[in-house]
Amino acid sequence: MFTSKDLKKLIIPLIFEQLLAVSVGFVDTFMVSIAGEAAVSGVALVDNISNLLIQILSALATGGAVVCSQYLGSRNIDMSKKSAGQLIFIMSALSSLLMVISLIGNHGIINFIFGKIETDVFESASIYFYITAISYPFLGVYNAGAALFRSIGNSKISMNTSLIMNIINICGNALFIFVFDMGVAGVAIGTVVSQFISCVLVLRCLHHSEGSYQ
């Protein structure tokens, strides 16, 4: 049985992690404001799509982690490791498919979801969508790793990784916007870099974990 202390240790970092995950888009929108209203609108539109994908990937990863935790509960360590590997593979494959669909159907997806929008806003949204779509596989693997840590009651790892991701995103945005003057493309590249690093970090933590997924 979980005690109230155990639940707090699990839930509080999880809440902060979700806030940090969503704040990536808010930071991008805020920092790109220097590039003009069209850039802000374009980034904000695409962030609606990104937030939806984050929730879908997170839900799928959580469902897969439940299977892993069931094997852990029955002390079947070998199957828990195997199911964890399958979860990471499935999430990487699914998120890669989403990336390909987004890259190929960029304009069509934007038009279908948002209808007719002004040309400059559409161009900003298209650029941001093209570049951030590259990060979907990293996002999928990160969600899988974070869900696995939560399944063993350790949500601090994913929270700390999200915090690092946000810091890198802010620094990357500042570099690409204020130094290289890249506008929408700059915030998109900052997002991709930060999510790539968070993916690497969570995989590294899984590999060196003292838990059952090592």
Side-chain angles (χ1 to χ4, degrees):
M1 291 289 292
F2 281 106
T3 65
S4 58
K5 183 178 180 181
D6 292 331
L7 290 175
K8 287 179 182 178
K9 287 173 64 177
L10 179 65
I11 294 173
I12 292 176
L14 179 59
I15 293 172
F16 279 107
E17 178 199 347
Q18 294 303 310
L19 291 174
L20 288 167
V22 174
S23 68
V24 171
F26 291 146
V27 169
D28 285 355
T29 303
F30 174 75
M31 296 187 73
V32 82
S33 60
I34 192 174
E37 294 181 0
V40 173
S41 298
V43 170
L45 289 176
V46 176
D47 277 336
N48 291 322
I49 301 174
S50 298
N51 288 334
L52 174 62
L53 289 175
I54 288 172
Q55 296 306 315
I56 292 173
L57 292 172
S58 179
L60 291 172
T62 300
V66 168
V67 177
C68 300
S69 61
Q70 289 176 336
Y71 284 121
L72 284 177
S74 62
R75 306 296 181 183
N76 193 337
I77 304 302
D78 288 338
M79 284 302 297
S80 71
K81 292 179 180 180
K82 184 177 180 180
S83 58
Q86 290 175 339
L87 174 60
I88 292 175
F89 172 77
I90 291 171
M91 290 297 293
S92 62
L94 177 60
S95 54
S96 296
L97 177 61
L98 291 174
M99 176 190 72
V100 172
I101 292 172
S102 299
L103 291 173
I104 294 175
N106 179 290
H107 290 181
I109 293 171
I110 294 174
N111 284 327
F112 176 76
I113 296 176
F114 303 111
K116 186 177 181 180
I117 56 179
E118 295 187 11
T119 303
D120 51 353
V121 175
F122 181 85
E123 289 178 354
S124 295
S126 179
I127 292 170
Y128 187 71
F129 195 19
Y130 264 127
I131 299 175
T132 54
I134 298 171
S135 70
Y136 292 166
F138 309 140
L139 189 61
V141 174
Y142 165 79
N143 274 283
L148 289 172
F149 275 115
R150 289 194 291 270
S151 73
I152 58 175
N154 188 350
S155 55
K156 281 188 177 181
I157 294 290
S158 54
M159 182 192 72
N160 291 335
T161 305
S162 285
L163 179 60
I164 294 172
M165 176 177 67
N166 274 265
I167 293 172
I168 294 172
N169 186 50
I170 292 172
C171 294
N173 286 350
L175 175 65
F176 292 120
I177 295 173
F178 302 122
V179 177
F180 295 111
D181 194 25
M182 295 178 67
V184 173
V187 295
I189 294 172
T191 298
V192 173
V193 171
S194 65
Q195 290 181 345
F196 169 74
I197 293 176
S198 68
C199 171
V200 172
L201 287 175
V202 81
L203 287 176
R204 184 176 183 276
C205 289
L206 278 173
H207 180 70
H208 294 287
S209 173
E210 295 180 356
S212 302
Y213 298 127
Q214 187 174 9

